[in-house]
Amino acid sequence: MTEMALTPEQLQAMIEMSGTINMEVFYWWCTGLMVIIHAGFLAYEMGASRLKNALASGVKNILAFAFIIPTFFFFGWWIYLAMYGGFIPDFEAGAGGVPWLSAMGPNIMDNGTGIFWGAFVLFAATTASIFSGAVIERIRMSSFIILAIVLGSGVWILGASWGWHGDGWLTTKWGFHDFGAAGCVHMVAGFFALGVIINLGPRIGRFAADGTPIVIKGHSAPMSIIGLMLIIVGFFGFLGGCIIYNTGAQWTTIFGTPTTLSAVSFNTLMAFSGGIIGAYFITRQPFWMMSGALAGIFSAAPGLDLYYPPLAFLLGIIGGVVTPLADKFITSKFKLDDAVGAFSVHGVGGLIGVVSLGIFSGYPNVNGPDVSFFGQLASAGVMAALGFIPGYVLSLIMAKFGVLRVPPKAEIAGLDLVEVPLEAYPEAVPASKPDNSGTGAAVTA
Amino acid sequence: MASPITTWEGAEAVFTFADKPAVVFGIFVLSVIVTVGVIISTYKHENHSYIDYQE
């Protein structure tokens, strides 16, 4: 028996390796759950599209996910590691994300890089999907892909490096705290979408000649509503990915402050509930109730590790009430067509969240000043600008070159017919040209 | 040989061509070119699709 006994060093090594593998397992399943976010966005966007655009919206959403993955490998992860100080990169810190070096591939001695890269890819793809919904039914696919790459593999991850990183300058200088990425994910994506829809313009028929908004109904409200619920399911993976697993020690936030999954459980569910109730109170309809659920979570996301749960519930209610009103406001006042309310749900919801933690705070930080109202407000301004400016400028350039939007005749005909060699519901309502070929096959462009 | 190792003993980076930086970089550049190429192809597909839908 004595020959079988482990030395303290061997025991220590076993415990450490067990912890390392548990860490990998935890983030692996967080990443898997986050894929459900994209199943949700896919259903949500296709349902919100008219029948003639259902598949084109699906293709667009799927491509956003697909293009984010390689481009985030090419340069996104490097941005996160290197750009935490502002616009001047730290090449030494960024070396772990250089795509042709030894950390960026199967490496027996590195259990961390790939699994964290994977989780961040899913965060990145979430930003692109947030933007995707706002521009359905009239944006050109190629322009959309470029904009999605800029947002998902460039802009948001720069915001994450600044404000969702232990050494990010927003935290070390202003005490910014944002547990659930309301700033770098939701605000940046929402404000990016706002910048683009200003230049993209509304769908044909969205406003009457006198400017009165006309509701364009999607072809399947139930599909959209179920999609929104799937996004919520996936958000449990997203929020799991926001917490740091430390072998043999308490969980910490990405900012190094101690926390627990229990804390996040309390507040996520309470804010989710508040968002639904708030949106129901103000709209009485399920599309906004489920969008309100998301807005509720974002409205409490920065402090999911800190709030007294009924406060998270109340913040959720505020998010659920304010976001449909914000969407109505930008539609009626500025004649903007955000097809799914992405700006109001993510941009405004995230803004409420970031600023609210400034009101209900005073918490100490590990690597910077205490969390404060000024720090949260100023950081919210940075996140809004970081999203809006690139989205607006890039889409303006695309619009000037005439490559941002599909031709009006194609928009009226429907993008499935024009671009997609497949029909959504071939036995229901025809979306293809009449078949004169005699083969029985649908004729598509 | 694509394998960078001859034994698992002490192995670190084990991905294909990990011991040949020029090949790794070449594959990386090729994957970037393919990604950009598909975006250009999408642009061309759209222009072709819109031929019947111009004003």
Side-chain angles (χ1 to χ4, degrees):
Chain A
M1 287 292 290
T2 43
E3 286 176 7
M4 297 289 287
L6 296 170
T7 65
E9 290 75 20
Q10 287 173 318
L11 198 56
Q12 177 73 16
M14 277 183 64
I15 291 168
E16 284 176 5
M17 183 46 78
S18 178
T20 299
I21 288 173
N22 280 341
M23 176 275 291
E24 276 190 297
V25 169
F26 175 75
Y27 290 112
W28 172 268
W29 290 116
C30 285
T31 305
L33 266 177
M34 278 195 274
V35 175
I36 298 173
I37 291 177
H38 297 281
F41 273 118
L42 183 61
Y44 167 51
E45 276 185 45
M46 289 198 297
S49 299
R50 287 164 288 183
L51 188 62
K52 64 180 181 177
N53 297 314
L55 292 182
S57 292
V59 170
K60 184 170 65 59
N61 184 282
I62 295 165
L63 282 180
F65 195 1
F67 275 95
I68 291 301
I69 295 169
T71 53
F72 198 83
F73 185 93
F74 298 157
F75 53 85
W77 188 234
W78 180 85
I79 291 173
Y80 181 70
L81 298 178
M83 302 297 289
Y84 60 86
F87 289 109
I88 310 235
D90 177 342
F91 290 103
E92 193 177 330
V98 174
W100 51 84
L101 295 186
S102 64
M104 293 297 282
N107 189 317
I108 306 300
M109 303 305 288
D110 183 351
N111 295 63
T113 300
I115 209 77
F116 283 114
W117 172 82
F120 272 74
V121 164
L122 268 293
F123 293 131
T126 299
T127 65
S129 278
I130 291 167
F131 158 61
S132 175
V135 296
I136 53 172
E137 301 196 300
R138 77 278 204 201
I139 197 167
R140 277 185 73 140
M141 195 75 75
S142 52
S143 299
F144 169 76
I145 292 168
I146 293 167
L147 288 163
I149 289 170
V150 168
L151 170 61
S153 293
V155 174
W156 97 270
I157 194 64
L158 182 61
S161 191
W162 290 357
W164 209 48
H165 181 299
D167 295 318
W169 72 271
L170 291 179
T171 297
T172 57
K173 293 195 183 336
W174 293 349
F176 183 52
H177 185 95
D178 182 10
F179 174 85
C184 62
V185 169
H186 300 289
M187 281 193 71
V188 168
F191 279 84
F192 187 95
L194 178 67
V196 174
I197 60 173
I198 289 171
N199 293 311
L200 181 62
R203 288 167 289 178
I204 293 169
R206 181 68 177 89
F207 294 97
D210 65 356
T212 306
I214 299 168
V215 174
I216 294 179
K217 294 175 182 169
H219 85 282
S220 175
M223 185 188 287
S224 286
I225 294 160
I226 291 168
L228 283 160
M229 185 60 95
L230 285 173
I231 296 172
I232 298 282
V233 175
F235 256 90
F236 281 82
F238 182 106
L239 294 170
C242 296
I243 195 168
I244 305 295
Y245 183 107
N246 300 291
T247 300
Q250 182 60 283
W251 300 96
T252 56
T253 66
I254 214 157
F255 308 99
T257 53
T259 189
T260 63
L261 272 177
S262 283
V264 182
S265 172
F266 271 131
N267 286 324
T268 303
L269 290 168
M270 290 294 271
F272 160 79
S273 164
I276 293 174
I277 291 168
Y280 172 73
F281 174 74
I282 208 79
T283 70
R284 308 292 180 189
Q285 60 105 317
F287 181 87
W288 273 108
M289 285 164 66
M290 289 312 306
S291 293
L294 288 171
I297 294 174
F298 309 152
S299 297
L304 288 175
D305 55 327
L306 301 172
Y307 287 133
Y308 174 52
L311 179 57
F313 174 71
L314 292 174
L315 289 172
I317 288 180
I318 291 169
V321 167
V322 169
T323 50
L325 297 176
D327 184 63
K328 194 173 178 182
F329 178 73
I330 67 158
T331 304
S332 57
K333 183 79 176 171
F334 298 105
K335 313 301 174 203
L336 295 176
D337 179 16
D338 179 350
V340 296
F343 166 69
S344 58
V345 172
H346 296 270
V348 176
L351 175 64
I352 292 169
V354 171
V355 175
S356 293
L357 186 61
I359 296 168
F360 304 107
S361 190
Y363 286 92
N365 256 313
V366 170
N367 191 18
D370 292 353
V371 183
S372 68
F373 180 73
F374 164 77
Q376 295 297 113
L377 185 65
S379 298
V382 170
M383 292 298 175
L386 187 60
F388 181 82
I389 293 170
Y392 181 82
V393 171
L394 192 54
S395 61
L396 180 65
I397 293 166
M398 289 173 164
K400 294 284 183 201
F401 281 95
V403 296
L404 183 61
R405 188 169 175 140
V406 302
K409 274 189 177 175
E411 185 179 341
I412 291 165
L415 301 181
D416 285 9
L417 174 61
V418 177
E419 293 179 10
V420 184
L422 188 68
E423 293 171 69
Y425 304 99
E427 295 173 330
V429 182
S432 60
K433 293 174 183 173
D435 173 22
N436 299 319
S437 67
T439 63
V443 179
T444 52
Chain B
M1 291 256 295
S3 169
I5 58 168
T6 53
T7 172
W8 290 101
E9 192 68 35
E12 294 188 14
V14 296
F15 56 86
T16 43
F17 304 112
D19 59 338
K20 298 179 181 70
V23 179
V24 167
F25 188 72
I27 295 170
F28 166 74
V29 170
L30 183 62
S31 61
V32 172
I33 290 168
V34 168
T35 304
V36 173
V38 173
I39 297 172
I40 294 168
S41 148
T42 302
Y43 177 76
K44 288 181 176 174
H45 166 67
E46 287 172 321
N47 285 344
H48 176 74
S49 300
Y50 298 153
I51 286 172
D52 293 338
Y53 298 94
Q54 299 298 335
E55 290 301 322

